[in-house]
Amino acid sequence: MPQPLILVTNDDGVAAPGIAALASALEPIGEVWVYAPDRNQSAVGHGVSLHRPLRVVPIRERWFSVDGTPTDCVMLAVRSLLGRRPDVVVSGINNGPNMGDDVTYSGTVAGAFEGMLLGIPAVAVSNLGRVSRHLEASGNVARAIVESVLEHGMPAETVLNVNIPDLPLDELGAVEITRMGRRTYEDVIVERKDPRGISYYWIGGNDPSHVIETGTDFDAIERGCVSVTPLHRDLTNHEGHRALQQHPINLPRNSKE
Ligand code: MN
């Protein structure tokens, strides 16, 4: 049986320490191919480059730098360059958390999401450190999760969003299956003056906080545990769907435009 093919990407860029830690942690369990953005693409979300050419530069054996987004990387690799379908797509290890509402901005999660849309089991991995000190430990956690995915498969149309406290292995709590929590963003927009006295704005002020709720990603992390949140492809609010059907909206058929 051939080795599993593992496609690795990230959003911090191909030179980030997190992707090196992830790739080397996964080497023992498969053939690892890296396609990653040539620069930091954090918070690009699920963006795709539709209006310019994309260049792919080989860096070393099975490592490629792409001047695009994480989604571009996965799309190019899976739909064209790899020539063989990966058994799993792993995105990370991100520098910093991707929990709660932040997953909607995350390029790390989007890289995995694209893998899932292409029908491939997909895992996004983030280390919570502002400066990550225990990437090797996080890599080992990622490997254990990817091994489990390769062995047992995954629920359909699902991305595993993994957040790992920046701790050595023997200080980490258990792996907990969680749901997506809620962020609270405060003082997000910072206004300053440039040297010519003209206002400019910077998005991202104080570190965002979160709502305290049991069972969430934030809750697991607060207790030093590894959070694994299954994210679903279908963003439909099914309860809301039923509620909206209670009040049918009729189009104004008789008006003249
Ligand atoms: Mn990032």
Side-chain angles (χ1 to χ4, degrees):
M1 214 182 108
Q3 283 213 84
L5 182 63
I6 303 175
L7 172 60
V8 167
T9 192
N10 76 345
D11 78 354
D12 294 337
V14 73
I19 196 167
L22 180 61
S24 58
L26 297 175
E27 285 290 348
I29 62 166
E31 187 181 306
V32 177
W33 289 72
V34 175
Y35 286 84
D38 63 349
R39 69 198 75 180
N40 194 330
Q41 294 279 351
S42 294
V44 292
H46 200 192
V48 187
S49 305
L50 293 180
H51 306 290
R52 62 180 183 82
L54 288 167
R55 306 286 179 185
V56 179
V57 178
I59 296 179
R60 53 183 182 272
E61 206 192 349
R62 294 189 263 125
W63 276 67
F64 300 87
S65 164
V66 180
D67 63 343
T69 66
T71 300
D72 293 335
C73 291
V74 173
M75 220 182 248
L76 279 180
V78 174
R79 289 192 182 275
S80 168
L81 302 174
L82 276 176
R84 176 157 81 88
R85 218 175 149 66
D87 296 286
V88 63
V89 174
V90 191
S91 182
I93 299 169
N94 190 59
N95 175 223
N98 277 307
M99 300 191 288
D101 305 307
D102 287 351
V103 303
T104 62
Y105 304 107
S106 170
T108 306
V109 173
F113 208 88
E114 186 59 28
M116 177 269 288
L117 290 181
L118 293 165
I120 302 160
V123 182
V125 185
S126 303
N127 170 299
L128 270 71
R130 195 176 259 271
V131 180
S132 304
R133 280 174 301 183
H134 302 286
L135 283 172
E136 200 181 329
S138 297
N140 289 335
V141 172
R143 181 173 62 231
I145 291 167
V146 171
E147 274 184 305
S148 171
V149 165
L150 288 171
E151 191 182 343
H152 305 293
M154 288 234 311
E157 306 197 320
T158 301
V159 168
L160 295 188
N161 182 35
V162 181
N163 282 275
I164 310 170
D166 189 32
L167 294 170
L169 269 184
D170 56 3
E171 289 176 32
L172 280 173
V175 174
E176 292 195 355
I177 309 302
T178 59
R179 63 195 163 87
M180 203 177 111
R182 268 182 292 175
R183 272 286 189 216
T184 48
Y185 303 94
E186 288 153 25
D187 300 327
V188 170
I189 308 296
V190 176
E191 183 181 354
R192 296 271 162 80
K193 300 277 187 209
D194 73 12
R196 296 188 180 87
I198 298 168
S199 289
Y200 69 88
Y201 302 88
W202 199 277
I203 296 175
N206 295 341
D207 275 353
S209 183
H210 60 268
V211 179
I212 295 166
E213 293 168 299
T214 53
T216 62
D217 40 15
F218 293 111
D219 176 47
I221 288 303
E222 299 239 304
R223 289 176 289 103
C225 292
V226 174
S227 166
V228 176
T229 312
L231 301 177
H232 200 265
R233 180 198 59 79
D234 184 355
L235 301 180
T236 309
N237 174 352
H238 291 279
E239 209 176 298
H241 182 277
R242 281 187 292 277
L244 286 165
Q245 280 185 319
Q246 304 297 311
H247 307 287
I249 298 165
N250 299 310
L251 292 180
R253 294 288 185 200
N254 293 328
S255 74
K256 296 176 181 164
E257 296 291 296

